[in-house]
Amino acid sequence: VKWTAHRPQRPDALPAALALTLINDAQSGIPRGLLASGALTAARTAAVSALALQLAAPRPVKRVLLLGAGLHAQAHLRMLQQLFPQLEQIGVWNRSPFKLNALREVQIETDLQLALAQPYDAVLTCTSADQPIIDAEAIQPGRIIVQVGYHEVSFAAIKASSKVVVDAWGDFAQRSAKSLFQMFRAGEFREQDVAADLAALLLDNWRPQPDDSVYFSSFGLNVFDIALAARVLQAAEHDELGSLQSLFSGVLHDH
């Protein structure tokens, strides 16, 4: 079970979403471990973005613009530096510039519109914006925009994209605050207009054309986080890391 508290109004510096994952043994039902899920979610999300850059980008990605400086943005930055060593440039923009001071080996962008006008092959939006910061002017042939946050991309930008790709489409389209699903509920986007999903990318070898403009909506399924949490817990048990707690001591002495 993954439990998340979304905190649009928060009086502290903790993330906007706080999550825990509880893993139970599939056969016995006995709890095996409790994990803080923020870093797991960020790693899984960045992994999906890596697949988008590798498989759904119209052209080989050489220059990436990263929007945001929080937990997800930092995970994406590590992903870019580790999995894409051939990148010629990583630009980073954030609404609060002081958060960028600790970043190294990146190009700090102070003006979002000027940054979007630069020849970046990919734009990764990892902010907590509840109103779009990406409009139709940002859509360019050969560019992929990967939306990780809630509502960072305008309906006009999605309409201007020649290909719309998702990690998955499901019942969550009826309630998610993601830009694409808001657009769907507003009657301005149809499910059949999705060009591809992760399965099509990985199994069917779907690829865009070099002059396509691709919008990739990353929703993120909790079951992926739970699977990753189970794998991390298994590794922790093997390496004897973490704190072992006795859940049932004193309970089973009598009938």
Side-chain angles (χ1 to χ4, degrees):
V1 175
K2 180 184 175 185
W3 174 88
T4 305
H6 292 279
R7 309 184 316 136
Q9 304 295 329
R10 53 191 190 278
D12 49 51
L14 295 174
L18 297 177
L20 295 171
T21 298
L22 174 64
I23 301 296
N24 287 58
D25 185 274
Q27 300 300 321
S28 68
I30 295 176
R32 291 184 57 210
L34 184 67
L35 301 88
S37 302
L40 296 178
T41 300
R44 183 266 304 159
T45 304
V48 171
S49 296
L51 288 175
L53 295 180
Q54 292 169 344
L55 305 178
R59 302 172 187 174
V61 175
K62 298 180 180 179
R63 305 179 74 219
V64 177
L65 176 61
L66 175 62
L67 309 185
L71 178 66
H72 280 281
Q74 293 173 31
H76 275 71
L77 180 57
R78 290 192 296 272
M79 175 272 290
L80 292 172
Q81 293 171 333
Q82 294 175 18
L83 300 185
F84 295 86
Q86 76 280 7
L87 288 178
E88 297 175 1
Q89 181 179 357
I90 301 176
V92 182
W93 172 89
N94 189 60
R95 285 175 294 183
S96 303
F98 70 90
K99 291 185 177 181
L100 304 177
N101 295 335
L103 299 183
R104 298 292 183 267
E105 300 179 0
V106 299
Q107 171 69 41
I108 303 300
E109 300 283 2
T110 57
D111 188 300
L112 177 57
Q113 298 310 313
L114 289 178
L116 291 171
Q118 300 299 314
Y120 283 106
D121 306 303
V123 179
L124 306 178
T125 65
C126 302
T127 77
S128 57
D130 58 2
Q131 294 297 322
I133 56 177
I134 301 291
D135 211 345
E137 291 77 10
I139 307 303
Q140 299 179 9
R143 171 181 283 181
I144 183 172
I145 293 180
V146 179
Q147 181 183 349
V148 174
Y150 291 113
H151 189 29
E152 302 155 311
V153 182
S154 71
F155 292 179
I158 298 174
K159 289 179 180 178
S161 303
S162 64
K163 295 292 188 298
V164 173
V165 182
V166 300
D167 55 353
W169 188 287
D171 292 342
F172 44 81
Q174 300 291 346
R175 56 186 182 275
S176 170
K178 288 279 187 178
S179 302
L180 181 64
F181 300 136
Q182 289 195 40
M183 188 175 175
F184 165 70
R185 293 194 297 275
E188 298 187 41
F189 185 84
R190 303 176 303 170
E191 180 181 353
Q192 55 264 40
D193 292 331
V194 172
D197 58 12
L198 275 184
L201 293 176
L202 292 168
L203 303 178
D204 300 333
N205 294 316
W206 181 93
R207 298 294 183 270
Q209 296 299 310
D211 289 333
D212 275 333
S213 51
V214 176
Y215 164 74
F216 186 97
S217 178
S218 177
F219 175 72
L221 296 176
N222 285 331
V223 67
F224 295 161
D225 290 359
I226 292 171
L228 179 57
R231 188 172 297 183
V232 170
L233 179 60
Q234 185 179 36
E237 290 174 335
H238 179 270
D239 296 336
E240 297 183 348
L241 300 174
S243 300
L244 185 63
Q245 304 294 326
S246 178
L247 292 177
F248 305 109
S249 59
V251 175
L252 303 177
H253 294 307
D254 299 314
H255 291 295

